[in-house]
Amino acid sequence: MPSFDSSPTLTLWRMLLALAVVFVLLATTGWTTIRHQRTPGPSRAEALAAWTHDRIGGRALPDPAAPPRTIAAFFASLGPARGARLADTHPLVVGNLNGAPVTLRYRANRVSLGRALDAERGRVDDPRLTADGRHEALRRVHRFTSLMRPGRQILAFDPTGTGRTAEVLGDLDRARRVSVIVPGVDTNLLTFQKTARRYSAPAGMAEALYAAERRTDPRARTAVIAWADYTAPVGVGVEAAIGRLAANGAVRLVDLTAALPGDSRVTLFCHSYGSVLCGVAAPRLPARVTDVVVAGSPGMRAESAADLGTRARVWALRDADDWIADVPHLELGGVGHGTDPVDPAFGARVLSAAGAAGHTGYFEPGTGSLANFAALGVGAYASLTCASADSACRDGISGASPA
């Protein structure tokens, strides 16, 4: 006869209690902001259909789902002028096409941004809009205007629904090391950058990391990508506690890392729900991804770092007052995300997050967490500060012996 401790009834109650704790925490910490308004944008389906039926020089255009190397070879065969024509004619496709030259993607996304901006400006005074709808249209006008500022390099852009985007800081074509920031819940076009709490949004995170990397090693050829190019969970709900959206986003992240130009080494910086996505992506990441870093993680949908199935080094950190520590780190019936990555039993290399405050403070300038991120981004492993005084997190890394 099974004991009470192992009974199905008790297990169910533990799961329900864990979910209740998750939802209460999400509702009271500022991690989530419920947004019901979804504004229409250009139809990606129509853009893909137009691409499929077009020809250039008598040639059919490649399947957008083709491997990046196939896309890259196609554009290499076109030459600059015809490539630019495709970017201008099919911006919503070329701007999001892994394998297309990054400069063409920047060009295409500027065209798409211009069209989206015109569409939103036309909606602002539409009498059929509710007050909330008009407010959101104005916010989108401001966001698109900001993304179009001279010098911004938009690697991905889709204004449909709540929208997706990615931005590059630095020269991605020449970079020897690339850092990719994978953010968490409530990431969309409108939250991509913020004025208040600037470094809690993807654009601010990337700005802080890029500046810190340049201070850490001014000679390093680095680039940073603020990658908000997946559909993140919205608000308080089951989506934040399960892996469906992480699985969908993982496909996009793997495609991105495989398509980056050259042979740069890549480090992933995965925050909050973004660490769930990185955990799901881990077994399929290309060898160029050398390090996966998770901060404020609810789990990586794995019981241990070894179970992630990646050759990349796995790093974890959490500051002392991050409420995510109180979320039950478990997985039962697809609910929850597994072992806490900072738990010694998980087997990650645990870094110091000294100076960081709360769940969204890891990229704040002056924090130990950002200093560690920058050291990882430029490959300065000897400069890392471990969570414990024994420097064990650097064991087994060439050139990273304790100073």
Side-chain angles (χ1 to χ4, degrees):
M1 180 176 179
S3 70
F4 179 73
D5 286 343
S6 62
S7 72
T9 300
L10 182 60
T11 300
L12 176 61
W13 276 110
R14 282 175 173 164
M15 182 183 74
L16 292 174
L17 177 60
L19 282 175
V21 172
V22 170
F23 293 149
V24 168
L25 285 168
L26 294 180
T28 58
T29 58
W31 188 24
T32 58
T33 302
I34 298 175
R35 295 183 181 89
H36 297 296
Q37 182 72 30
R38 290 178 177 267
T39 54
S43 168
R44 181 159 174 79
E46 291 176 358
L48 289 170
W51 171 271
T52 300
H53 291 98
D54 199 5
R55 298 287 186 274
I56 189 163
R59 300 167 59 191
L61 305 184
D63 183 347
R69 62 181 179 276
T70 301
I71 301 295
F74 172 79
F75 276 93
S77 72
L78 289 182
R82 289 196 292 180
R85 178 199 135 186
L86 281 182
D88 294 342
T89 306
H90 302 282
L92 200 57
V93 177
V94 176
N96 297 284
L97 196 56
N98 287 316
V102 293
T103 51
L104 277 187
R105 292 182 67 171
Y106 300 157
R107 176 183 180 129
N109 286 322
R110 181 162 288 273
V111 174
S112 289
L113 274 162
R115 293 179 180 177
L117 179 58
D118 288 343
E120 290 299 331
R121 281 174 172 160
R123 294 180 67 244
V124 168
D125 297 320
D126 188 336
R128 295 170 296 179
L129 279 183
T130 64
D132 286 345
R134 186 171 297 106
H135 176 67
E136 180 136 335
L138 280 170
R139 292 181 66 197
R140 286 166 70 93
V141 165
H142 294 154
R143 176 62 64 248
F144 299 158
T145 300
S146 176
L147 291 173
M148 289 188 71
R149 285 203 315 262
R152 296 194 76 168
Q153 301 176 136
I154 306 304
L155 185 66
F157 174 72
D158 184 349
T160 306
T162 56
R164 299 193 299 257
T165 194
E167 181 177 14
V168 175
L169 301 182
D171 187 339
L172 195 56
D173 279 317
R174 297 182 63 250
R176 301 300 302 150
R177 289 186 173 272
V178 176
S179 299
V180 181
I181 294 171
V182 184
V185 161
D186 272 340
T187 296
N188 56 52
L189 271 173
L190 294 182
T191 61
F192 183 70
Q193 62 191 59
K194 299 177 182 178
T195 301
R197 299 172 60 241
R198 175 178 179 180
Y199 301 110
S200 67
M205 292 175 178
E207 179 184 334
L209 179 57
Y210 186 57
E213 288 182 354
R214 289 167 67 85
R215 288 193 299 270
T216 301
D217 186 351
R219 297 171 300 175
R221 286 157 49 187
T222 64
V224 176
I225 301 174
W227 190 77
D229 191 26
Y230 82 102
T231 300
V234 178
V236 177
V238 173
E239 289 289 8
I242 63 175
R244 185 182 69 87
L245 293 179
N248 294 341
V251 174
R252 302 179 71 83
L253 182 62
V254 170
D255 288 346
L256 168 81
T257 53
L260 292 173
D263 57 358
S264 55
R265 295 185 178 184
V266 178
T267 300
L268 304 182
F269 296 91
C270 317
H271 177 246
S272 195
Y273 188 84
S275 67
V276 182
L277 190 160
C278 289
V280 176
R284 291 166 285 155
L285 292 172
R288 71 191 308 177
V289 178
T290 58
D291 298 274
V292 176
V293 191
V294 298
S297 175
M300 301 182 73
R301 300 196 75 77
E303 292 308 305
S304 69
D307 289 341
L308 292 171
T310 179
R311 295 174 61 186
R313 289 175 287 264
V314 180
W315 308 81
L317 66 166
R318 186 174 66 221
D319 67 60
D321 61 349
D322 187 340
W323 56 262
I324 203 76
D326 297 322
V327 171
H329 287 81
L330 51 79
E331 190 280 325
L332 185 63
V335 178
H337 304 305
T339 305
D340 186 347
V342 301
D343 187 327
F346 187 78
R349 299 168 182 267
V350 184
L351 292 165
S352 170
H359 187 60
T360 60
Y362 295 97
F363 288 84
E364 286 284 339
T367 58
S369 51
L370 181 62
N372 274 328
F373 292 162
L376 283 168
V378 301
Y381 298 101
S383 300
L384 292 169
T385 302
C386 302
S388 58
D390 59 11
S391 301
C393 73
R394 291 182 281 182
D395 286 351
I397 302 175
S398 177
S401 57

